[in-house]
Amino acid sequence: MSPIPSSTRALPDPVAKKIQDDSERHLEELCAWLRIPSVSSSSAHVDDMLAAATWLESKLTNAGLQTKRIETNGFPMIYAETPAVDGAPVALVYGHYDVQPAEPLELWNSPAFEPTLRDGNVYARGATDDKGQVLTHIHAVCDWMQSGEPLPMQIKFLIEGEEEVGSANLEAYLPDARDLSCDVVVVSDSSQYAEGLPAMTCGLRGIATYEIKVTGPSHDLHSGSFGGAVANPAIALSQLLASMMDQSGRIQIKGFYDDVQPIPDAERAAWRQLPSDEPQMRAESGVEALHGESGFTTDERRWARPTFDVNGITSGHQGEGVKTIIPSWASAKFSFRLVPNQVPDAITQAVQEHIAALDLPGVQIELLPDHGASAMVTKSDSPYAIAASRAIESAFGVVPVPIREGGSIPILADFQRHLGCDVLLLGWGQNDDAMHSPNEKFSVADFHRGTLASAHLWAELAADS
């Protein structure tokens, strides 16, 4: 990444003072929103989902933004915008108010939906994914408007309630969404590289997910009477899954790597300068050694190389004690993380051909594709990225490093395709924030720094227009 010029526009004093003076209120409002258990995947939380959307709608409306509730076949999206500014860029802030289920509840050290402050963090489901992070942008814009200073550019918000379940209704809305036209989409739903080292994420992997079912006998059989005479579906499934990857971490599906492009030399060189802490990663993941595709560093493998993972396996007797059977069926869920140029539909075709070519007699195999999304990459030296880097440095006191992340936010590639815009991924979280896990947290200091960085972002983007 090119050296970043010094900041070209200071934050107006009234705005900076408003953000500083309201920091306690910012945290109180975050806790109020976190108390609403907005779990989009659970029918038991439909009313809570609607309450979370209403809370957000009221927050934006009361701050003076033009706000509307977009009803869908699922949960509503909340859209809001500030006044247009002639000659200035337009930014769209995207985020989500739905959260993952909190189970297993017994592993939480404090109630999942009763925000608890300890060790400088706020602990609650949704603290970092994504209520806390998206609220930094909401606070920055609302405080700016209430400071008496005019915003230097137009900012739009689109906050949905179905990100954790696939964003299907947003996908359907995007192709004709003229109200979303913008120059850049801003998303905070990711992490810094390390504590004290903020990052700008310049790429996300895509994904393709599947369930596979292997069926044998019509019912479970006695393994003494039928063992050796009937194919065992659990063994066939194990052989099938094992055939997809060798011991060096190389995926063995024919044509899988055909569209994979080499990692650019400049990115590899930049990543190898990062202070990678593999002992800490081993400690956080609870493994004795890291492992992955040969010939690549850990960061390269988790950010910019495709992967194959088995996500779950089910078959036969699962209860206490031994039950000597040949199970009638076995199933597994698995996924691939994809890199730029890989197409989910092409991967599905390759997987089907791989399975068809296996010699697994005595069983029937059914592959059920679930969902897929392409990878997303942006330029780390675009005018928007340079402005964002200056903004982050102003708030965090450190120049952010350009990275990629291994996860997927499928809707971002759709934003690029339908809106023709750039994307800024500015994560305020930490890698150990336990997204999707018990004891999810968000640093209170980073919550406040993220709010300040957001305010600086609007000044920097406008200064470059």
Side-chain angles (χ1 to χ4, degrees), residues 121-311:
N121 301 301
V122 55
Y123 287 83
R125 171 60 83 228
T128 193
D129 181 19
D130 177 44
K131 288 178 178 177
Q133 295 206 58
V134 73
L135 196 56
T136 63
H137 298 295
I138 294 170
H139 282 324
V141 171
C142 292
D143 280 10
W144 196 312
M145 294 185 67
Q146 293 170 348
S147 74
E149 290 285 330
L151 272 161
M153 58 182 291
Q154 185 177 40
I155 300 153
K156 301 177 179 181
F157 289 94
L158 183 69
I159 316 298
E160 67 157 322
E162 297 177 340
E163 193 273 347
E164 299 291 7
V165 292
S167 300
N169 285 299
L170 177 53
E171 287 181 9
Y173 179 77
L174 267 181
D176 300 315
R178 294 185 179 87
D179 51 350
L180 301 183
S181 61
C182 62
D183 299 292
V184 61
V185 172
V186 177
V187 184
S188 291
D189 193 8
S190 55
S191 300
Q192 303 176 60
Y193 181 74
E195 186 174 357
L197 187 55
M200 289 200 310
T201 302
C202 301
L204 297 169
R205 289 190 291 193
I207 193 169
T209 64
Y210 306 87
E211 183 171 1
I212 191 165
K213 187 169 184 178
V214 179
T215 305
S218 60
H219 56 281
D220 293 349
L221 300 176
H222 189 292
S223 66
S225 299
F226 292 91
V230 173
N232 188 312
I235 293 175
L237 175 63
S238 299
Q239 293 170 334
L240 187 158
L241 295 173
S243 75
M244 292 193 183
M245 177 182 286
D246 66 20
Q247 291 185 338
S248 71
R250 184 84 177 175
I251 295 167
Q252 297 299 294
I253 297 170
K254 185 177 180 180
F256 183 85
Y257 292 96
D258 286 356
D259 296 323
V260 174
Q261 299 298 307
I263 304 170
D265 290 340
E267 284 192 271
R268 296 190 83 174
W271 296 345
R272 294 187 182 199
Q273 296 301 311
L274 296 173
S276 179
D277 191 349
E278 296 199 357
Q280 181 179 351
M281 185 174 292
R282 292 198 301 271
E284 289 176 357
S285 58
V287 298
E288 293 183 359
L290 302 178
H291 175 70
E293 185 182 6
S294 298
F296 298 91
T297 68
T298 297
D299 282 342
E300 290 167 354
R301 292 197 301 258
R302 67 193 183 108
W303 290 344
R305 293 295 296 171
T307 62
F308 164 68
D309 286 292
V310 176
N311 310 125

Side-chain angles (χ1 to χ4, degrees), residues 14 16 40 142 170 242 262 276 316 395 403 430 449:
S40 55
C142 292
L170 177 53
S276 179
I403 65 171
Q430 295 290 345
R449 282 190 283 256

